[in-house]
Amino acid sequence: MTISSAFRDPVLRSPAFMKLAANGGTNGISVGADYVLVGWLALQVAESTTWVGGGFALYHVPGLLLGMPAGSLADRVNRHRLVRGLELVGVLILITFAMLLAAGHWNIAVVYGLTVALGSLRAIHHPTRLAYTYDIAGPKRVIPAISALNFSSHLGYIVGAAASGLIAERFGVHHALLAMALAHLIAWSCLSGASPPVAAVHDPSPILDNLRDYTREITRNRLLAALVIVTAGIEVFGTSLYTTLPELAQLRLEVGADGLGGLVAISQAGGLIAASILFVMPAHTDAKPLWLISIACLGLAVVALGAAPNMVTCAIALGAAAAAISAWDILTQSMMQLSVPDRLRGRAMGAWMFAIGSAPLGHLQMGFVVAWLGLDLALYLNGFMVLVVIAAGVLIVKELRLR
């Protein structure tokens, strides 16, 4: 698929997909704000990176607990309607917590309550929308379709990270939460009138039967099982780098919430670049080599962040990490859905959500290791462990090796 053919593709230019991409961008504004406000609120209330790690851990716990049931739910119901309904749930959550903070309830219980609520929303929303993306695009276009959705989401992340930090610094956190609620309301409206594809396959079996069916699949499908295990390992040692950002911004770079938001926003440009490249890759491209390269690059980028002395080098290292994470996410999501029958695609994305639900362990260990060894050594150690995880996976599981 060339650049011109990608943009001319009738499926990727269809009203249903264009509305989905718009939903990804506006929903991404709220998600981008998560990565600024979750850590910043915990640091301001508790004044410790350990509490920041706890906050990010709680943010991802729902993925571990709800990922598989959410995937089963996505296989049973109309995915288009479920995505829209979840946007309205987000509006209610954010308005509620904005009112609590505005009323002066500024404590770790409220901060962690907001964190769990947002994490639960994302745990159900993400696998459902990814399965709906495949519904629209089909197997031949799944990588460019998820890449385009990832691109629009990263645009939202940039806007959300920068705007939330700025609004929180200038007007207060409760105003930032209200802006996030508005983003969810716009995301809901983006999907109005977008009819779900008639080709979508739904499994009306009870959720427990669905889960048993998927358990049988994952025990016999070695590639899917390996992708789940490696994803969990990368979440523990790779994406946990975000736990360090509030302390990195405050102590190394000496900036506030607006500076942290700007740093996260600038770094997300790497994710845009990675998504753009995958969007125009030839349709017959083997995803596995790119998947392996993206993980190796993530490990090296985490190490580089540990050595970065100033705003520019930190932004470059974070940009490289964001690019690697974006490519790894796109390729993992695509490979998982392609490895299972259509009736299991929602559950495949639930398994992905379950795997990234291991992130609490990563954020907790990163918080403790930073407190024990310091920021630099913690990043060096975690980057090295990313390389160890993928090397072990390739050595142990032949399905992950290049042919």
Side-chain angles (χ1 to χ4, degrees), residues 40 244-256 259-260 263:
W40 189 257
T244 67
L245 296 190
E247 181 170 322
L248 184 147
Q250 189 173 60
L251 299 183
R252 184 187 295 181
L253 303 180
E254 298 181 347
V255 297
L260 173 60
L263 181 65

Side-chain angles (χ1 to χ4, degrees), residues 192-246:
S192 62
S195 300
V198 295
V201 176
H202 300 293
D203 185 350
S205 304
I207 288 181
L208 288 179
D209 289 345
N210 281 351
L211 292 176
R212 282 192 288 267
D213 190 17
Y214 189 71
T215 300
R216 287 191 293 269
E217 174 68 19
I218 204 168
T219 54
R220 70 166 189 81
N221 189 330
R222 284 174 55 86
L223 175 59
L224 179 62
L227 288 170
V228 170
I229 293 170
V230 170
T231 297
I234 302 305
E235 281 293 325
V236 169
F237 298 111
T239 63
S240 57
L241 68 92
Y242 288 103
T243 296
T244 67
L245 296 190

Side-chain angles (χ1 to χ4, degrees), residues 167-382:
I167 294 171
E169 190 78 17
R170 302 286 177 86
F171 305 106
V173 173
H174 60 287
H175 284 97
L177 296 182
L178 290 175
M180 292 168 67
L182 177 61
H184 277 287
L185 188 61
I186 297 172
W188 170 81
S189 68
C190 286
L191 288 179
S192 62
S195 300
V198 295
V201 176
H202 300 293
D203 185 350
S205 304
I207 288 181
L208 288 179
D209 289 345
N210 281 351
L211 292 176
R212 282 192 288 267
D213 190 17
Y214 189 71
T215 300
R216 287 191 293 269
E217 174 68 19
I218 204 168
T219 54
R220 70 166 189 81
N221 189 330
R222 284 174 55 86
L223 175 59
L224 179 62
L227 288 170
V228 170
I229 293 170
V230 170
T231 297
I234 302 305
E235 281 293 325
V236 169
F237 298 111
T239 63
S240 57
L241 68 92
Y242 288 103
T243 296
T244 67
L245 296 190
E247 181 170 322
L248 184 147
Q250 189 173 60
L251 299 183
R252 184 187 295 181
L253 303 180
E254 298 181 347
V255 297
D258 53 349
L260 173 60
L263 181 65
V264 174
I266 292 170
S267 73
Q268 290 300 328
L272 289 177
I273 294 171
S276 300
I277 293 172
L278 289 176
F279 178 68
V280 299
M281 291 290 289
H284 60 274
T285 300
D286 186 357
K288 195 181 297 180
L290 299 176
W291 181 77
L292 294 171
I293 292 170
S294 68
I295 295 174
C297 288
L298 174 57
L300 296 175
V302 174
V303 172
L305 182 61
N310 52 49
M311 177 69 82
V312 173
T313 52
C314 283
I316 292 172
L318 279 171
I325 291 170
S326 176
W328 166 64
D329 269 344
I330 292 167
L331 295 167
T332 301
Q333 293 156 7
S334 302
M335 290 166 67
M336 280 187 170
Q337 292 200 70
L338 289 168
S339 71
V340 299
D342 277 355
R343 63 185 174 81
L344 294 176
R345 285 190 290 101
R347 277 160 281 183
M349 290 297 87
W352 169 76
M353 200 72 220
F354 173 82
I356 68 173
S358 64
L361 297 176
H363 292 295
L364 287 173
Q365 67 84 18
M366 181 65 89
F368 285 119
V369 174
V370 168
W372 178 38
L373 298 177
L375 187 63
D376 299 354
L377 288 178
L379 288 167
Y380 295 154
L381 177 61
N382 276 263

Side-chain angles (χ1 to χ4, degrees), residues 14-201:
S14 67
F17 186 78
M18 296 298 287
K19 290 182 177 183
L20 176 63
N23 170 269
T26 47
N27 177 275
I29 292 173
S30 180
V31 178
D34 291 354
Y35 286 94
V36 175
L37 297 181
V38 166
W40 189 257
L41 279 170
L43 186 64
Q44 295 306 300
V45 170
E47 299 182 349
S48 169
T49 300
T50 301
W51 287 94
V52 175
F56 277 111
L58 285 175
Y59 181 76
H60 289 283
V61 161
L64 186 65
L65 301 178
L66 301 178
M68 293 300 294
S72 180
L73 178 64
D75 279 335
R76 297 186 74 246
V77 303
N78 184 304
R79 290 188 268 260
H80 167 259
R81 292 176 184 170
L82 181 56
V83 171
R84 292 197 80 203
L86 290 169
E87 301 293 358
L88 295 179
V89 172
V91 173
L92 294 175
I93 289 172
L94 289 160
I95 290 177
T96 299
F97 279 93
M99 293 172 63
L100 285 172
L101 292 176
H105 298 287
W106 190 270
N107 55 63
I108 198 65
V110 171
V111 172
Y112 276 6
L114 170 63
T115 300
V116 171
L118 290 175
S120 300
L121 176 66
R122 313 305 181 205
I124 302 172
H125 184 277
H126 288 339
T128 305
R129 190 175 64 186
L130 286 166
Y132 181 59
T133 303
Y134 191 112
D135 291 341
I136 296 173
K140 293 183 179 179
R141 300 178 181 87
V142 63
I143 292 180
I146 293 180
S147 299
L149 181 64
N150 188 282
F151 181 90
S152 66
S153 296
H154 271 83
L155 285 176
Y157 298 163
I158 291 173
V159 174
S164 62
L166 183 62
I167 294 171
E169 190 78 17
R170 302 286 177 86
F171 305 106
V173 173
H174 60 287
H175 284 97
L177 296 182
L178 290 175
M180 292 168 67
L182 177 61
H184 277 287
L185 188 61
I186 297 172
W188 170 81
S189 68
C190 286
L191 288 179
S192 62
S195 300
V198 295
V201 176

